[in-house]
Amino acid sequence: SMKCERSSAFVSAAHGTAHCGVRSLSYCRPLNRPVARSGFKGTRSRQHVPPRCMAAGPGNSEAFITAMSGSFSGAASTITGLGLLAFIVLVHETGHYLAARLQGIRVKDFSVGFGPKVIGWKPKNSETQFNLRLLPLGGFVAFPDDVEVDEESGEERKLDDPNLLQNRPALDRAIVISAGIIANIILAYAAIFTSVNIVGVPRYEYQPGVVISQLTDSKGPGAVGGLKRGDIVLALDGQAIQPTAQCAKDLATSIRGSNGRELLFDVKRGNEQIQLRVTPRCCTPSGDSFAGVQLSPNARVGRVLPSSPIQAMSMASHEFSRLAEQTFNGL
């Protein structure tokens, strides 16, 4: 038998395995057993005792709940990501499909996902089969072949059906091929337009200085020189830093081009203004110096909502252009 430290616990032991279910956050341990003698002289053995088992204490319960919450959160994020990917694929393939059908081009298969078919549907009087497949990691639109095989001779014969994609002029085919990308661009603009009307667009009010947003090296020149996260650099070598969108980039350029010489930082820390001397480490293989800090503009971020549909379209177009530029610059 087993004994539990609290009366609200329940215990069962079988075949040497103990199972504890304890609501009062206690633990279970075996009762003292008398020594059992065997039938052979001079030998003794203890009766098998189920092992001690620990019930979930407050820390263990919280850790378990935290772990399970993290697992559910990760699973939910994965499912959400797959659903979003499937939706983007659906819009992309719909672009191909509509561009073909609006031109009278025949479509054989419209599928979201790859692998085995999960759900299939074929409308009446239509040759297009619509499918949802097992792996939602892509999709495709398939068109009928422009050749058929003679069952008796086995020879291939080219079809002259004008509604086959292969028999259409180059411009028609180009429209079908590019329609998927165009559909995704329209989707992106629609998402930005919706966001602009609901939450607005960010508006930055730049203040003097550059913020030390992070020390990337705790033993780097910046940390050694006394810089701390949250410091605002107001001037470098006596030159005031102007409140612009490029101020952080300009300061980083000055540090990289210092050739390892000592720099004088005018820093605002809380309500105090101090001066710090930092000697950037020189040099990287490209000849740059570095201080081991991450910089960002000193700015307050607000939100601006459009006052009319025309302004909403203008703001959405501006945001679309800005994000597209950032995307291309990051490639």
Side-chain angles (χ1 to χ4, degrees):
S1 64
M2 299 281 291
K3 177 181 179 182
C4 281
E5 292 296 317
R6 306 281 179 87
S7 61
S8 58
F10 65 90
V11 181
S12 65
H15 303 293
T17 302
H19 305 277
C20 294
V22 185
R23 290 192 298 272
S24 59
L25 307 176
S26 61
Y27 67 89
C28 303
R29 63 184 181 185
L31 294 173
N32 294 330
R33 296 279 192 176
V35 174
R37 297 181 179 276
S38 69
F40 297 94
K41 183 178 180 180
T43 62
R44 300 190 305 175
S45 65
R46 290 188 178 275
Q47 184 175 345
H48 177 75
V49 180
R52 170 180 170 175
C53 64
M54 296 296 296
N60 293 338
S61 298
E62 292 175 3
F64 175 77
I65 293 173
T66 301
M68 292 301 295
S69 298
S71 299
F72 287 133
S73 176
S77 298
T78 300
I79 293 173
T80 301
L82 291 175
L84 180 60
L85 177 61
F87 178 71
I88 294 173
V89 169
L90 175 63
V91 172
H92 181 90
E93 301 304 334
T94 299
H96 292 306
Y97 175 78
L98 291 178
R101 295 303 301 139
L102 290 175
Q103 297 183 89
I105 298 174
R106 295 165 56 188
V107 177
K108 179 181 179 181
D109 193 341
F110 181 108
S111 289
V112 175
F114 297 121
K117 180 176 65 176
V118 177
I119 300 174
W121 174 62
K122 188 173 183 179
K124 187 177 181 181
N125 300 325
S126 173
E127 68 173 326
T128 305
Q129 174 77 29
F130 295 88
N131 299 309
L132 177 64
R133 299 183 181 272
L134 183 62
L135 302 176
L137 303 177
F140 61 89
V141 171
F143 301 90
D145 293 331
D146 62 341
V147 295
E148 67 177 3
V149 179
D150 187 278
E151 297 181 357
E152 296 181 358
S153 63
E155 295 181 354
E156 291 185 352
R157 182 172 63 88
K158 187 174 177 60
L159 301 176
D160 57 1
D161 186 349
N163 292 328
L164 293 176
L165 179 66
Q166 297 87 337
N167 295 336
R168 285 301 183 95
L171 179 60
D172 292 354
R173 298 197 303 270
I175 292 174
V176 174
I177 293 171
S178 61
I181 298 175
I182 294 173
N184 285 141
I185 292 174
I186 295 174
L187 173 64
Y189 183 86
I192 294 173
F193 182 82
T194 303
S195 175
V196 164
N197 283 277
I198 294 176
V199 300
V201 296
R203 180 179 62 186
Y204 299 93
E205 298 179 0
Y206 294 101
Q207 309 294 319
V210 171
V211 178
I212 306 293
S213 55
Q214 189 71 37
L215 294 175
T216 58
D217 186 352
S218 60
K219 297 181 180 179
V224 172
L227 292 174
K228 294 183 178 180
R229 180 180 179 181
D231 285 350
I232 301 175
V233 181
L234 299 176
L236 180 68
D237 288 341
Q239 297 292 323
I241 297 175
Q242 300 301 317
T244 65
Q246 299 294 321
C247 58
K249 183 178 180 180
D250 294 341
L251 179 57
T253 300
S254 298
I255 294 173
R256 284 196 296 266
S258 64
N259 294 321
R261 67 176 178 84
E262 184 181 77
L263 301 175
L264 179 63
F265 286 74
D266 290 337
V267 175
K268 181 180 180 182
R269 181 177 294 165
N271 295 324
E272 183 183 8
Q273 188 166 331
I274 59 177
Q275 287 188 331
L276 299 173
R277 297 185 180 275
V278 177
T279 304
R281 190 175 300 163
C282 183
C283 290
T284 64
S286 60
D288 293 336
S289 301
F290 65 96
V293 296
Q294 182 176 323
L295 308 173
S296 60
N298 184 22
R300 296 175 182 175
V301 183
R303 288 279 173 178
V304 179
L305 288 169
S307 58
S308 67
I310 295 178
Q311 187 182 20
M313 293 181 64
S314 175
M315 294 168 65
S317 299
H318 180 269
E319 279 297 292
F320 183 87
S321 299
R322 184 181 66 84
L323 294 173
E325 182 181 356
Q326 289 183 354
T327 302
F328 285 121
N329 289 339
L331 295 178

